[in-house]
Amino acid sequence: MTASVKTLLEALPYIRDFHGRTVVIKYGGAAMGDEELREGFATDVVLLKYVGLNPVIVHGGGPDITSYMERLGMEVRFVEGVRVSDPETVEVAKMVLLGKVNSDIVSRLNRHGQPAVGLSGEDGSLFEVRPHPNADQVGFVGEVERVDVDVLNHIAEDYIPVVASAGTDRDGNSYNVNADAAAGKVAAALRAYKAIFLTDVPGWLADADDPGSLVSRATASEVAAALDRVSGGMRPKLEACIEAIGGGAQSAHIIDGSKPHSLLLELFTDAGIGTMVTP
Ligand code: ADP
Ligand code: MG
């Protein structure tokens, strides 16, 4: 048997199992790093839709926001991994997330043959946001308080929804929202089958400085018990995995999006990659 036939046969049980299932994919940072990765991501997601999955994309765009702020001569500051966001920062973040990052993802998916629709937390009242607990230090950073998935369910019938992680509170103030946290909430609210977080490291590392310390499998309660010792960008990802599992997901995965087609490898092959969180 040739290697490619073997690969197709290996994928068959997964394709059968995933048919009609919703998968929330958090996309951001490193997986958006270069043109080849962006194209690879778009073709992977289009393939998922063609084989009968229901992909929902939630994305951030931190590096792009930072580079536009720098071009505008604005000060970029983080407190404990959270971007300090005055109203001007939120304005730029929204413009970059929706006007650039979101529209780039949508147009690539369209071009590869699966029409997509871009939206943010405001559209169809998708997210209701409340201020972050450290609002006095970080400004207009929000937490998703409530997700109304009605609009997503409507769009997902015919299109791939692509959600930018920004939202407003009841009074109409705009906020920056961490995309991992938003993806976890969306996965839970949709009762997604899986949630997959693409990042720039192989997964959750027991020791952040040791690439050999990958935790390949953990239960949600094991993750919860370890959370106090996790910092930086990994923490909201692990919290979001717990959230997705709490909402009924069968598994949540943190994988290296800087490796081409990691999404397909994770979904359709026996090779376990990254970190898998289970109930
Ligand atoms: P993304 O765009 O994927 O959200 P982030 O920078 O927010 O990227 O989060 C990923 C980063 O989290 C990694 O690049 C790494 O520097 C950091 N990190 C902190 N603690 C850990 C850990 N225990 N395991 C893996 N990565 C960690
Ligand atoms: Mg992050």
Side-chain angles (χ1 to χ4, degrees):
M1 214 173 355
T2 66
S4 40
V5 170
K6 249 181 102 173
T7 307
L8 281 169
L9 290 176
E10 189 180 322
L12 180 62
Y14 295 104
I15 294 174
R16 194 191 297 134
D17 183 29
F18 296 157
H19 197 89
R21 310 265 200 196
T22 297
V23 181
V24 172
I25 302 160
K26 189 281 180 146
Y27 180 47
M32 294 176 174
D34 65 41
E35 178 62 23
E36 201 185 328
L37 283 173
R38 288 194 288 267
E39 279 293 285
F41 175 78
T43 52
D44 289 1
V45 171
V46 163
L47 191 143
L48 300 189
K49 187 81 174 172
Y50 276 123
V51 300
L53 279 91
N54 177 20
V56 174
I57 315 295
V58 179
H59 70 88
D64 277 319
I65 296 169
T66 298
S67 91
Y68 272 80
M69 287 179 69
E70 284 167 352
R71 277 158 73 175
L72 292 167
M74 296 165 73
E75 189 196 359
V76 176
R77 253 184 346 117
F78 287 87
V79 171
E80 289 172 22
V82 177
R83 185 186 303 274
V84 177
S85 300
D86 57 12
E88 291 73 32
T89 301
V90 177
E91 187 174 305
V92 173
K94 243 170 104 172
M95 282 167 26
V96 173
L97 274 183
L98 272 160
K100 180 167 185 291
V101 182
N102 190 278
S103 91
D104 181 74
I105 300 168
V106 168
S107 83
R108 277 177 209 276
L109 294 170
N110 288 341
R111 208 153 24 76
H112 287 289
Q114 281 292 352
V117 170
L119 66 170
S120 80
E122 281 153 30
D123 294 287
S125 306
L126 177 60
F127 300 151
E128 189 176 300
V129 171
R130 63 169 171 233
H132 190 277
N134 285 345
D136 53 332
Q137 288 179 58
V138 294
F140 287 93
V141 175
E143 289 185 331
V144 176
E145 185 166 30
R146 196 186 47 77
V147 178
D148 184 343
V149 287
D150 218 35
V151 63
L152 286 184
N153 286 327
H154 282 294
I155 292 173
E157 276 181 30
D158 297 302
Y159 304 96
I160 300 174
V162 181
V163 180
S165 60
T168 50
D169 65 13
R170 280 190 209 111
D171 303 324
N173 301 304
S174 291
Y175 292 83
N176 241 335
V177 177
N178 179 279
D180 293 311
K185 294 276 186 183
V186 167
L190 284 172
R191 310 202 67 76
Y193 189 65
K194 270 180 192 278
I196 303 178
F197 300 82
L198 297 178
T199 185
D200 61 347
V201 283
W204 172 29
L205 306 172
D207 171 358
D209 300 319
D210 176 6
S213 67
L214 177 71
V215 180
S216 51
R217 241 188 126 121
T219 64
S221 45
E222 286 165 350
V223 174
L227 218 48
D228 277 349
R229 285 174 275 120
V230 184
S231 60
M234 191 47 56
R235 188 163 172 150
K237 279 180 224 306
L238 290 173
E239 287 170 341
C241 288
I242 296 171
E243 180 86 29
I245 297 292
Q250 169 238 238
S251 60
H253 303 256
I254 300 169
I255 64 174
D256 190 350
S258 66
K259 300 274 183 327
H261 305 296
S262 49
L263 199 52
L264 295 187
L265 283 175
E266 161 42 42
L267 283 167
F268 298 120
T269 71
D270 300 334
I273 59 166
T275 297
M276 170 159 94
V277 180
T278 54

